[in-house]
Amino acid sequence: QVGLAGLALTPNSEAVCFAHHTSISCTPIDKPDVRLVFSGAQPIELHEIATGGRMLAGVSSGAGRQLAGELGGREVDLSRQNGGFPIDFSPDGRRLLFGTPDYGILLRPLDGGPPVRLAEGIATGISPDGRSVLIFSPGVPTTLIVVPTGPGATRTLPRGPLEGHTWAAWMPDGRNVVISATAPSSMRRTSSL
């Protein structure tokens, strides 16, 4: 019996990596081989794998550390005092999008530079071109918003008949999003904009 603490597909979609107890292993999609890529002393949780092989993992400790590292390479400690949680890597693998318990949305360079607060709300991911972040504001009705990661204007997407967004994700083209939300009849619907 394997208790997994995170599962992520490699960016090239050739392997699935998973955390188990104090290690991270990867297995190719088309072969039954399992390769150990990280082993530590503390229980670890795998969050995401960026282009270039960087992994975002959290070490289960009282300090709640978050580490990013390349397979077999150096680790970068991305821990924050306010209990931030990872959401997504930028497409180039150089920045990490994370949220805070007070609904802060921050983008932090993996070189250890300071985080930049982009907005407030619940972030779902960085666009495929890395220029925007898709977020929704809590409350009823929720609002789906596109926030730039640099200079630019914030855009509110049309809600249509939907009220309560439960999740949203970018489509690979970077121009469309898929959303899961509730309609006034309280039925959950999935649609794209």
Side-chain angles (χ1 to χ4, degrees):
Q1 181 177 359
V2 175
L4 298 180
L7 186 70
L9 186 65
T10 57
N12 60 10
S13 299
E14 292 180 356
V16 173
C17 298
F18 57 92
H20 172 63
H21 194 51
T22 61
S23 65
I24 297 175
S25 298
C26 295
T27 184
I29 297 292
D30 59 350
K31 298 176 188 168
D33 302 328
V34 177
R35 179 174 59 104
L36 179 69
V37 296
F38 175 83
S39 182
Q42 298 177 0
I44 192 164
E45 181 178 338
L46 177 63
H47 297 290
E48 181 70 80
I49 303 173
T51 304
R54 288 189 184 103
M55 290 187 163
L56 178 64
V59 175
S60 300
S61 68
R65 292 177 61 212
Q66 292 174 7
L67 303 174
E70 295 184 29
L71 296 176
R74 71 179 182 91
E75 296 174 350
V76 177
D77 190 344
L78 300 173
S79 302
R80 289 189 40 86
Q81 297 296 326
N82 64 356
F85 49 91
I87 298 167
D88 197 8
F89 278 112
S90 62
D92 63 8
R94 295 182 180 182
R95 298 175 294 170
L96 170 68
L97 178 69
F98 64 98
T100 63
D102 64 350
Y103 292 108
I105 298 169
L106 296 94
L107 193 60
R108 182 174 188 173
L110 292 178
D111 64 7
V116 174
R117 190 176 187 99
L118 298 177
E120 291 186 4
I122 299 168
T124 65
I126 300 175
S127 62
D129 65 7
R131 296 181 181 173
S132 303
V133 172
L134 185 61
I135 70 169
F136 58 90
S137 63
V140 177
T142 55
T143 304
L144 196 58
I145 303 167
V146 176
V147 177
T149 58
T154 297
R155 294 182 296 134
T156 300
L157 299 180
R159 180 178 22 259
L162 305 175
E163 289 185 343
H165 298 91
T166 55
W167 199 246
W170 291 98
M171 296 294 290
D173 66 9
R175 294 180 293 138
N176 294 290
V177 297
V178 173
I179 60 172
S180 175
T182 56
S185 64
S186 298
M187 291 178 56
R188 182 173 290 181
R189 296 176 54 187
T190 301
S191 126
S192 63
L193 297 173

